[in-house]
Amino acid sequence: MNPPETESPRAIENLDRPMTDATAALDAREGWHAEGYAARAHYRGEGDRYSIEFYGPSECVLYWKVKGDGETAVPVGRDTVPDPLRARIREDLNAAGIDPEIERRSL
């Protein structure tokens, strides 16, 4: 899995809200960007691109597959996301003091 990308396929909303402790901790991790109660990272690997979002209030992780144009992303189920990427997200959550089991939580 390649390191997180820095460009964003779409902007995080919540610009006027302060970061929560959880999103601030993720923001300190390589490749994560947080604003308000949301944090996002972008990964490229094996020809696919993903945007991963963590939402503090609901303590959930969403995966988006980014299309070739880099601007369009569609939500995808966890079972379609490569295991190494999911493991990396759980590691990042744990390092940020967030229960890594929330990565498995369904909406």
Side-chain angles (χ1 to χ4, degrees):
M1 193 63 49
N2 292 332
E5 296 179 14
T6 55
E7 74 259 10
S8 173
R10 54 194 173 90
I12 293 180
E13 296 177 10
N14 316 317
L15 298 177
D16 59 342
R17 298 175 189 232
M19 278 191 264
T20 65
D21 289 345
T23 56
L26 280 173
D27 192 56
R29 303 282 304 159
E30 180 183 353
W32 285 88
H33 176 71
E35 294 182 28
Y37 56 78
R40 177 178 293 138
H42 304 280
Y43 291 89
R44 179 180 300 196
E46 309 270 336
D48 291 324
R49 294 175 58 189
Y50 291 90
S51 177
I52 298 88
E53 297 175 341
F54 166 79
Y55 293 98
S58 57
E59 293 190 325
C60 66
V61 174
L62 298 178
Y63 290 94
W64 300 78
K65 192 165 188 178
V66 181
K67 301 225 178 201
D69 64 6
E71 296 294 322
T72 306
V74 295
V76 294
R78 281 170 187 69
D79 58 337
T80 67
V81 177
D83 288 336
L85 174 54
R86 291 188 62 199
R88 168 66 191 269
I89 298 307
R90 287 191 298 274
E91 289 172 15
D92 285 348
L93 292 171
N94 190 49
I98 302 165
D99 180 2
E101 290 303 309
I102 69 164
E103 185 274 339
R104 294 179 169 94
R105 192 176 292 165
S106 295
L107 297 178

XYZ file of all heavy atoms in Angstrom:
841
model
N 0.853 -1.173 0.000
C 0.000 0.000 0.000
C 0.895 1.230 0.000
O 1.812 1.325 0.802
C -0.870 -0.047 1.247
C -2.007 0.917 1.272
S -3.301 0.755 0.041
C -3.727 -0.954 0.072
N 0.665 2.144 -0.901
C 1.448 3.365 -0.975
C 1.058 4.320 0.141
O -0.028 4.221 0.702
C 1.213 4.050 -2.323
C 1.788 3.242 -3.457
O 2.746 2.508 -3.267
N 1.200 3.364 -4.630
N 1.921 5.289 0.452
C 1.582 6.249 1.498
C 0.357 7.061 1.120
O -0.014 7.142 -0.055
C 2.814 7.147 1.579
C 3.740 6.724 0.520
C 3.194 5.518 -0.159
N -0.282 7.677 2.111
C -1.473 8.475 1.838
C -1.176 9.595 0.845
O -0.083 10.138 0.822
C -1.843 9.055 3.204
C -1.150 8.176 4.188
C 0.064 7.655 3.509
N -2.150 9.922 0.046
C -2.036 11.039 -0.878
C -2.429 12.308 -0.142
O -3.143 12.275 0.845
C -2.993 10.850 -2.055
C -2.657 9.655 -2.895
C -3.630 9.478 -4.039
O -4.399 10.402 -4.329
O -3.618 8.410 -4.627
N -2.001 13.437 -0.649
C -2.338 14.688 0.005
C -3.485 15.418 -0.686
O -4.150 16.218 -0.072
C -1.114 15.621 0.057
O -0.614 15.796 -1.262
C -0.036 15.023 0.942
N -3.718 15.147 -1.946
C -4.806 15.842 -2.612
C -6.154 15.227 -2.236
O -6.241 14.071 -1.910
C -4.632 15.886 -4.120
C -4.887 14.576 -4.798
C -3.622 13.839 -5.166
O -2.546 14.229 -4.742
O -3.743 12.853 -5.895
N -7.177 16.024 -2.299
C -8.504 15.584 -1.891
C -9.441 15.544 -3.078
O -9.490 16.492 -3.848
C -9.058 16.559 -0.855
O -10.391 16.255 -0.560
N -10.225 14.451 -3.249
C -11.170 14.432 -4.359
C -12.356 15.342 -4.105
O -13.060 15.705 -5.011
C -11.611 12.978 -4.431
C -11.412 12.454 -3.070
C -10.226 13.207 -2.513
N -12.583 15.693 -2.874
C -13.649 16.645 -2.560
C -13.345 17.257 -1.207
O -12.622 16.707 -0.408
C -15.012 15.974 -2.573
C -15.130 14.789 -1.704
C -16.399 14.023 -2.063
N -16.397 12.806 -1.329
C -16.915 12.643 -0.113
N -17.508 13.629 0.484
N -16.849 11.495 0.497
N -13.863 18.438 -0.953
C -13.536 19.155 0.282
C -14.337 18.628 1.460
O -15.479 18.221 1.325
C -13.823 20.639 0.093
N -13.699 18.632 2.628
C -14.414 18.272 3.855
C -15.287 19.455 4.238
O -14.840 20.597 4.237
C -13.429 17.969 5.001
C -12.629 16.716 4.696
C -14.156 17.818 6.324
C -11.631 16.348 5.765
N -16.524 19.154 4.570
C -17.394 20.196 5.064
C -17.086 20.371 6.542
O -16.184 19.756 7.058
C -18.841 19.814 4.807
C -19.116 19.717 3.317
C -20.511 19.273 2.990
O -21.350 19.212 3.892
O -20.749 18.995 1.815
N -17.789 21.186 7.275
C -17.587 21.432 8.698
C -16.450 22.413 8.950
O -15.812 22.377 9.979
C -17.276 20.140 9.475
C -18.154 18.999 9.095
O -19.342 19.177 8.934
N -17.575 17.831 8.930
N -16.138 23.284 8.011
C -15.017 24.178 8.154
C -15.150 25.112 9.353
O -14.146 25.543 9.893
C -14.843 25.004 6.872
C -14.550 24.201 5.614
C -14.487 25.124 4.412
C -13.263 23.426 5.756
N -16.360 25.417 9.760
C -16.550 26.357 10.843
C -16.617 25.694 12.211
O -16.813 26.347 13.216
C -17.815 27.178 10.603
C -19.066 26.316 10.489
O -18.939 25.105 10.256
O -20.162 26.873 10.629
N -16.420 24.395 12.294
C -16.494 23.686 13.566
C -15.091 23.373 14.065
O -14.222 23.018 13.291
C -17.279 22.390 13.412
C -18.698 22.639 13.003
C -19.388 21.325 12.750
N -20.676 21.586 12.165
C -21.799 21.087 12.621
N -21.804 20.284 13.646
N -22.932 21.374 12.045
N -14.875 23.468 15.382
C -13.552 23.109 15.904
C -13.334 21.600 15.826
O -14.278 20.819 15.868
C -13.618 23.584 17.354
C -15.069 23.607 17.692
C -15.794 23.914 16.404
N -12.070 21.213 15.701
C -11.747 19.791 15.675
C -12.033 19.168 17.036
O -11.850 19.801 18.067
C -10.275 19.581 15.344
C -9.956 19.636 13.888
S -8.280 19.063 13.557
C -7.445 20.622 13.503
N -12.468 17.936 17.025
C -12.629 17.181 18.260
C -11.262 16.591 18.629
O -10.332 16.612 17.827
C -13.649 16.041 18.084
O -13.119 15.095 17.141
C -15.000 16.566 17.595
N -11.143 16.055 19.833
C -9.884 15.414 20.229
C -9.533 14.284 19.276
O -8.376 14.121 18.892
C -9.981 14.887 21.660
C -10.011 15.998 22.699
O -9.669 17.152 22.364
O -10.382 15.705 23.847
N -10.540 13.496 18.892
C -10.299 12.353 18.006
C -9.833 12.811 16.631
O -8.870 12.266 16.082
C -11.560 11.497 17.883
N -10.498 13.812 16.064
C -10.094 14.259 14.730
C -8.755 14.990 14.787
O -7.955 14.870 13.866
C -11.171 15.129 14.052
O -11.488 16.239 14.877
C -12.420 14.326 13.749
N -8.475 15.694 15.870
C -7.177 16.354 16.016
C -6.063 15.316 16.088
O -4.982 15.505 15.508
C -7.163 17.242 17.251
N -6.307 14.215 16.783
C -5.305 13.151 16.884
C -5.057 12.516 15.516
O -3.910 12.217 15.168
C -5.747 12.099 17.897
N -6.105 12.318 14.732
C -5.906 11.783 13.380
C -5.191 12.798 12.497
O -4.355 12.429 11.673
C -7.247 11.378 12.749
C -7.792 10.033 13.187
C -9.197 9.828 12.618
C -6.873 8.890 12.778
N -5.513 14.065 12.669
C -4.884 15.124 11.878
C -3.368 15.118 12.070
O -2.625 15.471 11.157
C -5.469 16.476 12.279
C -5.092 17.587 11.328
O -5.363 17.453 10.117
O -4.530 18.598 11.797
N -2.904 14.675 13.227
C -1.475 14.615 13.514
C -0.797 13.419 12.833
O 0.426 13.376 12.726
C -1.244 14.547 15.022
N -1.587 12.466 12.349
C -1.050 11.284 11.677
C -0.705 11.609 10.216
O -1.375 12.424 9.582
C -2.062 10.131 11.694
C -2.546 9.702 13.050
C -1.582 8.850 13.797
N -1.229 7.672 13.019
C -0.124 6.975 13.227
N 0.713 7.304 14.157
N 0.130 5.912 12.492
N 0.296 10.951 9.692
C 0.697 11.173 8.306
C -0.444 10.866 7.351
O -1.073 9.813 7.419
C 1.879 10.261 7.960
C 2.350 10.429 6.534
C 3.467 9.466 6.166
O 3.969 8.747 7.038
O 3.799 9.434 4.974
N -0.729 11.827 6.466
C -1.730 11.628 5.424
C -3.145 11.983 5.799
O -4.010 12.022 4.940
N -3.415 12.252 7.069
C -4.774 12.596 7.496
C -4.936 14.100 7.528
O -4.007 14.845 7.834
C -5.061 12.022 8.881
C -5.308 10.557 8.882
C -4.375 9.572 8.986
C -6.573 9.900 8.769
N -4.979 8.335 8.942
C -6.327 8.505 8.815
C -7.890 10.350 8.629
C -7.350 7.569 8.726
C -8.893 9.412 8.552
C -8.626 8.040 8.595
N -6.140 14.532 7.222
C -6.502 15.949 7.293
C -7.847 16.016 8.005
O -8.766 15.273 7.667
C -6.615 16.541 5.884
C -7.086 17.951 5.890
N -6.292 18.986 6.326
C -8.262 18.493 5.555
C -6.982 20.111 6.235
N -8.175 19.832 5.771
N -7.952 16.878 8.984
C -9.198 16.965 9.751
C -9.681 18.399 9.819
O -8.893 19.347 9.868
C -8.985 16.436 11.168
N -10.976 18.527 9.786
C -11.663 19.799 9.998
C -12.961 19.479 10.691
O -13.694 18.589 10.266
C -11.914 20.512 8.675
C -10.636 20.957 8.002
C -10.906 21.709 6.716
O -11.968 22.341 6.593
O -10.060 21.634 5.831
N -13.233 20.212 11.748
C -14.462 19.956 12.474
C -14.462 18.559 13.051
O -13.467 18.107 13.602
N -15.562 17.876 12.899
C -15.670 16.534 13.477
C -15.375 15.421 12.476
O -15.659 14.263 12.736
C -17.046 16.326 14.118
C -18.215 16.564 13.200
C -18.601 15.613 12.268
C -18.942 17.739 13.279
C -19.681 15.825 11.433
C -20.009 17.964 12.440
C -20.380 17.004 11.522
O -21.443 17.226 10.698
N -14.750 15.764 11.351
C -14.429 14.764 10.336
C -12.939 14.774 10.024
O -12.286 15.813 10.070
C -15.217 15.033 9.063
N -12.415 13.588 9.717
C -11.021 13.461 9.280
C -11.003 12.577 8.039
O -11.816 11.665 7.908
C -10.165 12.848 10.389
N -10.056 12.850 7.146
C -10.012 12.119 5.880
C -8.566 11.810 5.497
O -7.676 12.615 5.741
C -10.644 12.960 4.777
C -10.586 12.309 3.416
C -11.257 13.127 2.335
N -12.679 13.179 2.581
C -13.423 14.273 2.448
N -12.884 15.402 2.060
N -14.705 14.239 2.665
N -8.388 10.658 4.880
C -7.097 10.270 4.305
C -7.359 9.698 2.922
O -8.449 9.206 2.638
C -6.400 9.227 5.182
N -6.350 9.759 2.061
C -6.462 9.255 0.692
C -5.339 8.273 0.440
O -4.197 8.539 0.793
C -6.381 10.404 -0.315
C -7.414 11.444 -0.061
N -8.715 11.297 -0.459
C -7.345 12.606 0.604
C -9.406 12.357 -0.066
N -8.596 13.161 0.585
N -5.668 7.147 -0.150
C -4.689 6.110 -0.427
C -4.791 5.657 -1.865
O -5.875 5.601 -2.434
C -4.907 4.890 0.482
C -4.569 5.171 1.920
C -5.527 5.677 2.783
C -3.288 4.933 2.400
C -5.222 5.948 4.103
C -2.979 5.195 3.718
C -3.932 5.705 4.567
O -3.627 5.965 5.866
N -3.635 5.285 -2.408
C -3.570 4.718 -3.747
C -2.799 3.415 -3.653
O -1.748 3.360 -3.025
C -2.846 5.667 -4.685
C -2.717 5.126 -6.091
C -2.002 6.093 -6.969
N -2.776 7.324 -6.975
C -2.647 8.298 -7.850
N -1.749 8.204 -8.786
N -3.379 9.376 -7.800
N -3.321 2.389 -4.237
C -2.619 1.112 -4.227
C -3.232 0.162 -5.229
O -4.441 0.162 -5.429
N -2.390 -0.621 -5.878
C -2.862 -1.625 -6.821
C -3.769 -1.027 -7.898
O -4.697 -1.670 -8.363
C -3.605 -2.745 -6.095
C -2.852 -3.340 -4.932
C -1.978 -4.500 -5.337
O -2.258 -5.131 -6.347
O -1.008 -4.738 -4.620
N -3.544 0.236 -8.256
C -4.328 0.879 -9.297
C -5.628 1.505 -8.824
O -6.296 2.195 -9.581
N -6.004 1.282 -7.570
C -7.238 1.861 -7.029
C -6.907 3.002 -6.088
O -5.855 3.022 -5.445
C -8.039 0.802 -6.262
C -8.611 -0.263 -7.175
O -9.003 0.072 -8.310
O -8.660 -1.422 -6.747
N -7.835 3.953 -6.013
C -7.704 5.076 -5.086
C -8.898 5.073 -4.150
O -10.028 4.824 -4.569
C -7.655 6.395 -5.856
C -6.407 6.509 -6.700
C -6.412 7.753 -7.552
N -6.528 8.934 -6.715
C -6.735 10.152 -7.190
N -6.877 10.338 -8.481
N -6.820 11.173 -6.380
N -8.626 5.360 -2.875
C -9.673 5.382 -1.857
C -9.584 6.654 -1.036
O -8.496 7.173 -0.793
C -9.537 4.195 -0.905
C -9.849 2.871 -1.545
C -8.853 2.123 -2.150
C -11.144 2.368 -1.557
C -9.130 0.909 -2.747
C -11.432 1.154 -2.151
C -10.419 0.432 -2.750
O -10.701 -0.764 -3.348
N -10.725 7.117 -0.621
C -10.840 8.178 0.365
C -11.468 7.540 1.596
O -12.477 6.840 1.487
C -11.726 9.309 -0.168
O -11.888 10.303 0.815
N -10.853 7.756 2.749
C -11.354 7.170 3.990
C -11.763 8.316 4.898
O -11.004 9.275 5.074
C -10.271 6.304 4.678
C -9.863 5.142 3.776
C -10.777 5.780 6.005
C -8.768 5.458 2.836
N -12.938 8.225 5.461
C -13.440 9.295 6.323
C -13.803 8.733 7.688
O -14.434 7.682 7.795
C -14.660 9.953 5.694
C -14.335 10.626 4.378
C -15.546 11.195 3.675
O -16.676 10.786 3.991
O -15.344 12.049 2.800
N -13.384 9.455 8.729
C -13.755 9.147 10.100
C -14.637 10.284 10.584
O -14.303 11.456 10.402
C -12.514 9.053 10.995
C -12.852 9.073 12.467
C -13.307 7.929 13.093
C -12.725 10.236 13.202
C -13.638 7.951 14.441
C -13.050 10.265 14.548
C -13.512 9.117 15.161
N -15.783 9.940 11.170
C -16.703 10.933 11.718
C -16.762 10.774 13.223
O -17.179 9.733 13.732
C -18.095 10.789 11.105
C -18.101 11.135 9.643
C -18.027 10.150 8.679
C -18.140 12.462 9.236
C -17.999 10.469 7.327
C -18.108 12.789 7.893
C -18.043 11.789 6.951
O -17.997 12.115 5.624
N -16.330 11.811 13.936
C -16.255 11.768 15.388
C -17.565 11.530 16.105
O -17.651 10.633 16.946
N -18.619 12.303 15.819
C -19.857 12.149 16.589
C -20.460 10.747 16.508
O -20.964 10.225 17.495
C -20.807 13.172 15.971
C -19.917 14.184 15.359
C -18.707 13.429 14.887
N -20.381 10.129 15.347
C -20.958 8.791 15.195
C -19.910 7.694 15.333
O -20.242 6.515 15.302
C -21.661 8.665 13.846
O -20.753 8.962 12.807
N -18.643 8.087 15.495
C -17.533 7.143 15.593
C -17.638 6.052 14.534
O -17.766 4.870 14.829
C -17.439 6.545 16.998
C -17.045 7.561 18.032
C -16.709 6.923 19.362
O -17.332 5.921 19.743
O -15.797 7.443 20.017
N -17.596 6.479 13.294
C -17.668 5.518 12.197
C -16.645 5.866 11.127
O -16.157 6.995 11.057
C -19.074 5.468 11.603
S -19.576 6.971 10.775
N -16.310 4.870 10.333
C -15.374 5.016 9.228
C -16.114 4.669 7.944
O -16.785 3.641 7.869
C -14.153 4.086 9.399
C -13.247 4.134 8.177
C -13.373 4.448 10.658
N -15.990 5.532 6.954
C -16.591 5.284 5.641
C -15.483 5.181 4.605
O -14.499 5.914 4.670
C -17.528 6.423 5.243
C -18.737 6.660 6.127
C -19.521 7.856 5.613
C -19.615 5.433 6.171
N -15.669 4.277 3.664
C -14.723 4.108 2.561
C -15.380 4.566 1.274
O -16.530 4.232 0.994
C -14.317 2.637 2.425
C -13.447 2.156 3.551
C -13.996 1.523 4.652
C -12.070 2.337 3.506
C -13.192 1.078 5.688
C -11.264 1.894 4.532
C -11.831 1.262 5.623
O -11.034 0.824 6.644
N -14.616 5.308 0.482
C -15.059 5.785 -0.816
C -14.018 5.357 -1.838
O -12.829 5.500 -1.606
C -15.150 7.310 -0.829
C -16.099 7.882 0.158
C -15.881 8.042 1.502
C -17.397 8.376 -0.092
N -16.980 8.609 2.087
C -17.927 8.832 1.135
C -18.179 8.479 -1.241
C -19.190 9.371 1.239
C -19.440 9.031 -1.136
C -19.934 9.470 0.096
N -14.463 4.850 -2.965
C -13.553 4.546 -4.065
C -13.567 5.745 -5.007
O -14.628 6.206 -5.418
C -13.979 3.278 -4.798
C -12.917 2.785 -5.753
C -13.199 1.365 -6.180
C -12.032 0.825 -6.961
N -12.255 -0.559 -7.336
N -12.381 6.245 -5.313
C -12.244 7.445 -6.131
C -12.095 7.027 -7.582
O -11.266 6.188 -7.923
C -11.035 8.283 -5.670
C -10.898 9.543 -6.516
C -11.166 8.637 -4.187
N -12.908 7.621 -8.418
C -12.873 7.314 -9.849
C -11.651 7.959 -10.495
O -10.992 8.806 -9.906
C -14.155 7.805 -10.510
C -15.389 7.169 -9.898
C -16.315 6.738 -10.956
C -17.497 6.073 -10.267
N -18.201 5.219 -11.116
N -11.377 7.572 -11.724
C -10.201 8.034 -12.451
C -10.040 9.532 -12.557
O -8.927 10.028 -12.636
N -11.157 10.282 -12.550
C -11.043 11.733 -12.683
C -10.530 12.394 -11.414
O -10.189 13.569 -11.411
C -12.374 12.349 -13.110
C -13.496 12.186 -12.083
O -13.242 11.696 -10.955
O -14.636 12.548 -12.408
N -10.475 11.656 -10.306
C -10.001 12.205 -9.041
C -10.983 13.122 -8.354
O -10.730 13.608 -7.266
N -12.110 13.357 -8.973
C -13.114 14.261 -8.419
C -14.360 13.534 -7.943
O -15.098 14.049 -7.118
C -13.520 15.310 -9.467
C -12.393 16.229 -9.865
C -11.940 17.110 -8.722
O -12.790 17.573 -7.934
O -10.725 17.327 -8.601
N -14.606 12.369 -8.474
C -15.820 11.625 -8.153
C -15.473 10.438 -7.268
O -14.552 9.688 -7.561
C -16.499 11.115 -9.443
O -16.713 12.219 -10.315
C -17.812 10.438 -9.126
N -16.217 10.290 -6.164
C -16.012 9.153 -5.270
C -17.368 8.527 -4.964
O -18.366 9.231 -4.825
C -15.329 9.610 -3.986
N -17.371 7.209 -4.876
C -18.602 6.490 -4.546
C -18.354 5.654 -3.290
O -17.277 5.092 -3.117
C -19.078 5.596 -5.706
C -19.471 6.430 -6.912
C -18.010 4.590 -6.093
N -19.347 5.585 -2.401
C -19.159 4.780 -1.193
C -19.071 3.303 -1.556
O -19.736 2.849 -2.475
C -20.408 5.083 -0.363
C -21.423 5.600 -1.326
C -20.668 6.213 -2.464
N -18.212 2.587 -0.831
C -18.058 1.157 -1.060
C -18.133 0.413 0.267
O -17.824 0.969 1.323
C -16.726 0.825 -1.780
C -16.718 1.384 -3.193
C -15.532 1.326 -1.007
N -18.560 -0.820 0.206
C -18.626 -1.661 1.393
C -17.244 -2.094 1.836
O -16.329 -2.232 1.028
N -17.104 -2.305 3.126
C -15.812 -2.716 3.680
C -15.278 -3.996 3.053
O -14.071 -4.159 2.914
C -15.947 -2.931 5.191
C -15.922 -1.660 5.947
C -16.304 -1.896 7.405
N -16.430 -0.631 8.079
C -17.394 0.249 7.850
N -18.329 -0.013 6.968
N -17.436 1.392 8.484
N -16.165 -4.900 2.696
C -15.716 -6.170 2.132
C -15.064 -6.015 0.763
O -14.430 -6.943 0.264
C -16.864 -7.179 2.077
C -18.048 -6.691 1.265
O -18.214 -5.470 1.091
O -18.823 -7.545 0.802
N -15.184 -4.845 0.141
C -14.548 -4.602 -1.154
C -13.218 -3.865 -1.015
O -12.511 -3.701 -1.991
C -15.466 -3.776 -2.078
O -15.621 -2.461 -1.540
C -16.824 -4.446 -2.244
N -12.883 -3.435 0.198
C -11.662 -2.670 0.452
C -10.526 -3.655 0.764
O -10.714 -4.582 1.552
C -11.870 -1.695 1.630
C -10.587 -0.945 1.960
C -13.002 -0.714 1.314
N -9.351 -3.463 0.158
C -8.231 -4.379 0.420
C -7.896 -4.471 1.915
O -7.863 -3.454 2.614
C -7.070 -3.769 -0.365
C -7.718 -2.903 -1.405
C -8.987 -2.409 -0.792
N -7.647 -5.688 2.373
C -7.327 -5.908 3.788
C -6.146 -5.080 4.285
O -6.205 -4.561 5.405
C -7.088 -7.390 4.056
C -8.380 -8.197 4.011
O -9.468 -7.617 4.236
O -8.301 -9.411 3.751
N -5.060 -4.926 3.503
C -3.950 -4.109 4.008
C -4.359 -2.657 4.290
O -3.874 -2.049 5.240
C -2.903 -4.168 2.896
C -3.216 -5.443 2.166
C -4.722 -5.577 2.244
N -5.255 -2.122 3.477
C -5.728 -0.754 3.720
C -6.563 -0.701 4.990
O -6.385 0.184 5.824
C -6.528 -0.238 2.520
C -7.191 1.131 2.703
C -6.181 2.192 3.132
C -7.903 1.547 1.432
N -7.444 -1.648 5.161
C -8.274 -1.669 6.375
C -7.401 -1.819 7.616
O -7.642 -1.167 8.631
C -9.296 -2.789 6.293
C -10.353 -2.505 5.215
C -11.470 -3.475 5.241
N -12.168 -3.396 6.525
C -12.960 -4.336 6.996
N -13.166 -5.431 6.299
N -13.552 -4.198 8.148
N -6.374 -2.651 7.538
C -5.460 -2.818 8.676
C -4.736 -1.514 8.979
O -4.578 -1.134 10.149
C -4.460 -3.931 8.388
N -4.327 -0.803 7.931
C -3.637 0.489 8.121
C -4.562 1.493 8.801
O -4.146 2.236 9.694
C -3.155 1.021 6.777
C -2.674 2.449 6.770
C -1.400 2.634 7.601
N -1.091 4.023 7.808
C -0.329 4.753 7.016
N 0.199 4.231 5.940
N -0.105 6.014 7.306
N -5.823 1.519 8.417
C -6.770 2.448 9.033
C -6.956 2.106 10.507
O -6.960 2.991 11.364
C -8.117 2.436 8.273
C -7.924 2.910 6.828
C -9.157 3.282 8.993
C -7.231 4.246 6.678
N -7.074 0.823 10.827
C -7.194 0.423 12.234
C -5.951 0.827 13.032
O -6.049 1.284 14.166
C -7.467 -1.075 12.349
C -8.891 -1.446 11.935
C -9.252 -2.873 12.298
N -8.422 -3.860 11.632
C -8.650 -4.349 10.411
N -9.704 -3.947 9.710
N -7.839 -5.260 9.895
N -4.764 0.695 12.424
C -3.525 1.126 13.086
C -3.551 2.626 13.351
O -3.159 3.076 14.435
C -2.315 0.775 12.224
C -2.005 -0.687 12.146
C -0.920 -1.004 11.125
O -0.204 -0.074 10.671
O -0.790 -2.186 10.768
N -3.989 3.409 12.360
C -4.063 4.859 12.538
C -5.059 5.236 13.631
O -4.787 6.119 14.448
C -4.440 5.555 11.227
C -3.287 5.615 10.237
O -2.128 5.328 10.619
O -3.543 5.951 9.065
N -6.208 4.580 13.637
C -7.200 4.861 14.674
C -6.610 4.560 16.052
O -6.710 5.379 16.970
C -8.467 4.027 14.450
C -9.305 4.371 13.220
C -10.385 3.318 13.015
C -9.909 5.759 13.329
N -5.987 3.411 16.193
C -5.408 3.012 17.465
C -4.334 4.008 17.913
O -4.304 4.421 19.078
C -4.833 1.602 17.369
C -4.433 1.055 18.708
O -5.203 1.105 19.662
N -3.225 0.526 18.791
N -3.459 4.405 17.001
C -2.395 5.355 17.318
C -2.959 6.718 17.732
O -2.325 7.447 18.493
C -1.457 5.517 16.128
N -4.154 7.036 17.246
C -4.804 8.308 17.586
C -5.651 8.192 18.858
O -6.341 9.136 19.235
C -5.668 8.781 16.416
N -5.625 7.014 19.492
C -6.392 6.821 20.722
C -7.868 6.542 20.493
O -8.683 6.704 21.391
N -8.199 6.100 19.290
C -9.582 5.775 18.925
C -9.691 4.260 18.859
O -8.801 3.592 18.320
C -9.942 6.401 17.554
C -9.743 7.920 17.600
C -11.360 6.032 17.141
C -9.728 8.576 16.235
N -10.760 3.710 19.393
C -10.949 2.259 19.374
C -10.908 1.761 17.928
O -11.775 2.113 17.124
C -12.279 1.906 20.021
C -12.568 0.414 20.056
O -11.728 -0.392 19.606
O -13.642 0.049 20.549
N -9.923 0.945 17.561
C -9.826 0.486 16.170
C -10.977 -0.402 15.726
O -11.209 -0.565 14.523
C -8.485 -0.273 16.132
C -8.228 -0.657 17.539
C -8.865 0.401 18.408
N -11.734 -0.947 16.667
C -12.877 -1.801 16.303
C -13.985 -1.025 15.618
O -14.814 -1.614 14.933
C -13.406 -2.524 17.541
C -12.450 -3.589 18.064
C -12.100 -4.630 17.008
O -13.028 -5.199 16.387
O -10.899 -4.875 16.789
N -13.987 0.303 15.753
C -15.042 1.064 15.070
C -14.892 0.986 13.560
O -15.856 1.211 12.838
C -15.132 2.524 15.529
C -13.909 3.314 15.076
C -15.343 2.629 17.024
C -14.110 4.802 15.153
N -13.686 0.633 13.085
C -13.484 0.493 11.639
C -14.405 -0.594 11.088
O -14.832 -0.528 9.943
C -12.020 0.148 11.353
C -11.674 0.103 9.878
C -11.938 -1.245 9.214
O -12.016 -2.277 9.921
O -12.110 -1.280 7.992
N -14.751 -1.562 11.896
C -15.612 -2.671 11.463
C -17.100 -2.374 11.610
O -17.930 -3.143 11.163
C -15.267 -3.923 12.265
C -13.889 -4.456 11.982
C -13.601 -5.698 12.827
N -12.395 -6.365 12.403
C -11.202 -6.159 12.930
N -11.063 -5.300 13.922
N -10.145 -6.818 12.488
N -17.435 -1.280 12.251
C -18.818 -0.922 12.537
C -19.583 -0.608 11.259
O -19.151 0.195 10.452
C -18.843 0.283 13.474
C -20.188 0.576 14.070
C -20.098 1.721 15.056
N -19.332 1.312 16.223
C -18.842 2.170 17.109
N -19.022 3.453 16.949
N -18.175 1.732 18.150
N -20.722 -1.235 11.077
C -21.567 -0.962 9.905
C -22.530 0.170 10.208
O -22.928 0.368 11.353
C -22.375 -2.214 9.535
O -21.502 -3.234 9.130
N -22.925 0.843 9.172
C -23.906 1.928 9.322
C -25.300 1.387 9.130
O -25.538 0.488 8.409
C -23.646 3.027 8.303
C -22.312 3.726 8.461
C -22.163 4.755 7.369
C -22.187 4.378 9.808
